[in-house]
Amino acid sequence: ERKRTQAMCQANVFVERAGRRELVMSDVIHLRVEGETVWLSRFFEEPVAIRGTIREADFLKHTVILEPVSDSA
């Protein structure tokens, strides 16, 4: 039986505004979505809340792109 190994796969999370990407957090190990809030976690740090929605996740490049949520209703 072939044994599978797990690689560490942290992600870089960006917010995209007006066509520009801004790094919000690197080395993200856990991402949780609650409505229009995305919670990001790293090893040994408290989670950080970002208002936005996931626009794209690229698992090969280990990147997640968030789109900010407009406060106007």
Side-chain angles (χ1 to χ4, degrees):
E1 180 179 324
R2 186 174 161 187
K3 188 175 182 180
R4 298 183 107 188
T5 58
Q6 297 292 324
M8 298 291 284
C9 295
Q10 295 94 348
N12 292 318
V13 179
F14 298 86
V15 170
E16 187 166 273
R17 292 184 181 95
R20 295 186 58 143
R21 291 183 180 176
E22 172 188 338
L23 180 64
V24 174
M25 185 181 284
S26 60
D27 301 324
V28 173
I29 61 165
H30 187 259
L31 180 147
R32 184 178 77 242
V33 177
E34 292 181 1
E36 293 181 336
T37 301
V38 180
W39 288 90
L40 308 172
S41 300
R42 289 198 269 217
F43 283 118
F44 313 113
E45 294 184 14
E46 292 295 317
V48 173
I50 305 292
R51 282 190 34 84
T53 58
I54 297 175
R55 171 187 245 167
E56 176 183 343
D58 187 326
F59 298 109
L60 290 177
K61 294 181 181 178
H62 306 281
T63 59
V64 177
I65 309 302
L66 304 178
E67 190 170 293
V69 174
S70 173
D71 288 326
S72 61

